[in-house]
Amino acid sequence: MERFKEVLKNRHEYGRAWKKRTGGKVIGYYEPYMPEEIVYAAGFLPVRLFSRHEPDDVTDRQMYGNCACSREILNQFIKGNFNYVDGLINAEGCQWMLNAFQTTLNVKPELFNHYVFVPDYVDGKTSKDVMRSELDVFKKAMEKWTGKTITDKDLDCVIEVYNTNRRLMRQVYELRRADNPVVLGSEAMTMVLASQVMDKAEMNEMLKDVIAKLEKRQPRKDTGVRLMLVGSPTSDVELEELVESLGANVVIDELCTGSCYFWNEVIPQTDRLMAISLRYLGRPHCALKDNNWRRRPAHIHQLYEDYQAHGVIIAKQIYCHPHGTDNPLIWKVLRERNIPFHYFERDATLPYEETRLRMEAFINMLKPQLVMK
Ligand code: SF4
């Protein structure tokens, strides 16, 4: 477990060490709809670009008004933290991340780059064909840049590595359904976040080891109030740790950097690119892609029930328009189903004392449920 914490904390060092060890290249990406399998099949390490709060006196001139996440990624590029990244891929998603992608290329025009269009109507009739053609263009762009053909055999091998990672992470999350889970919310989220910057094959071996240890771990007598976390993407576990310091536990999340990242697998078929397309279009909908056929509210409710949560925390980044526009429906559905929730906004840093008081009040309000169940 410590290794995952260390990788997440020192993720830039991990990326540099991986390059040195393998001689490979590192590809940075912004959105969860980026088909990692194609990058990994080319022999490269896909790394999700996570925000990290550092003094910033540059990005305002380039990206005024964007959310902290997108601005902090640009800030790190300008500061040279991502100098081990050789290329940037953006898959159609959030406007602010697109800004970060384009603005970074203004600053770093030498980087290989590609944009993958992902239909907003992910369940639309033509969406799978559109996505498949986008993946074909992307694969050809990677092959042209690397001078190496990505074969079906390469894709089969990579699909198996990625599906194994998803299966193992589902196993970790299954442990959180127990009355007294042996794994804390901060530990599980650390593993998911680390998996987005790590070599999946390497991580799978470590995960098997950690799961074996977790299954032997004695559950804590009382893990307290069970909470679900919903909202804007995060790249740290500050909130989970704060909740744990108040004697409660985040037992499930519906974050695009959390459970949504690994929830579904690629179902292999002859047409490998179509198989990968269907996996990314079929993942739990992010707030931006939940149009027409609204699947997100039902998915949130299902997870809430399956993990026996007592309440929901909705944490939104300031200026986060995808969740800003989607929240009113989520609040309405939670109210209709008498699911207690607490909504709050955060910026680059978590307003610790204020958030602690809010969480404490919310958790105390839910405590009676512990005796009822
Ligand atoms: S926090 Fe919201 S607005 Fe910012 S990049 Fe993420 S999804 Fe986009």
Side-chain angles (χ1 to χ4, degrees), residues 30-32 48 66-71 73 93-98 100 231-234 256-257 286-288 316-324:
Y30 297 83
E31 294 283 358
R48 189 155 182 184
N66 285 38
C67 72
C69 291
S70 53
R71 283 208 325 265
I73 293 172
C94 159
Q95 186 57 43
W96 294 156
M97 281 303 189
L98 179 59
S232 305
T234 61
C256 89
T257 43
C286 93
L288 263 173
K316 182 179 92 54
Q317 274 285 343
I318 291 181
Y319 303 131
C320 175
H321 58 94
H323 288 275

Side-chain angles (χ1 to χ4, degrees), residues 164-229:
T164 301
N165 186 262
R166 292 161 182 148
R167 236 168 272 143
L168 291 168
M169 283 312 307
R170 288 288 299 249
Q171 260 183 271
V172 172
Y173 268 54
E174 266 315 293
L175 295 171
R176 302 169 76 185
R177 292 178 68 168
D179 289 347
N180 291 314
V182 290
V183 60
L184 291 171
S186 59
E187 293 173 321
M189 185 52 90
T190 299
M191 284 190 248
V192 188
L193 293 172
S195 78
Q196 294 167 71
V197 297
M198 285 185 79
D199 184 313
K200 290 291 190 290
E202 185 189 326
M203 183 172 185
N204 289 347
E205 292 320 304
M206 291 165 62
L207 265 178
K208 289 170 188 159
D209 176 47
V210 165
I211 291 170
K213 288 195 176 94
L214 285 174
E215 285 166 346
K216 291 196 191 86
R217 196 190 257 183
Q218 280 310 306
R220 287 186 309 160
K221 285 268 166 300
D222 167 22
T223 49
V225 166
R226 301 166 67 87
L227 293 169
M228 175 176 188
L229 182 56

Side-chain angles (χ1 to χ4, degrees), residues 126-188:
T126 58
S127 297
K128 64 183 188 327
D129 301 320
V130 171
M131 187 74 175
R132 193 206 174 288
S133 67
E134 283 291 314
L135 265 55
D136 190 39
V137 173
F138 177 39
K139 178 172 167 285
K140 289 193 172 82
M142 288 294 291
E143 290 171 334
K144 186 161 171 253
W145 184 47
T146 59
K148 176 180 167 283
T149 302
I150 299 171
T151 65
D152 281 351
K153 194 160 169 287
D154 296 331
L155 288 172
D156 290 345
C157 165
V158 163
I159 287 171
E160 188 41 40
V161 170
Y162 269 71
N163 278 351
T164 301
N165 186 262
R166 292 161 182 148
R167 236 168 272 143
L168 291 168
M169 283 312 307
R170 288 288 299 249
Q171 260 183 271
V172 172
Y173 268 54
E174 266 315 293
L175 295 171
R176 302 169 76 185
R177 292 178 68 168
D179 289 347
N180 291 314
V182 290
V183 60
L184 291 171
S186 59
E187 293 173 321

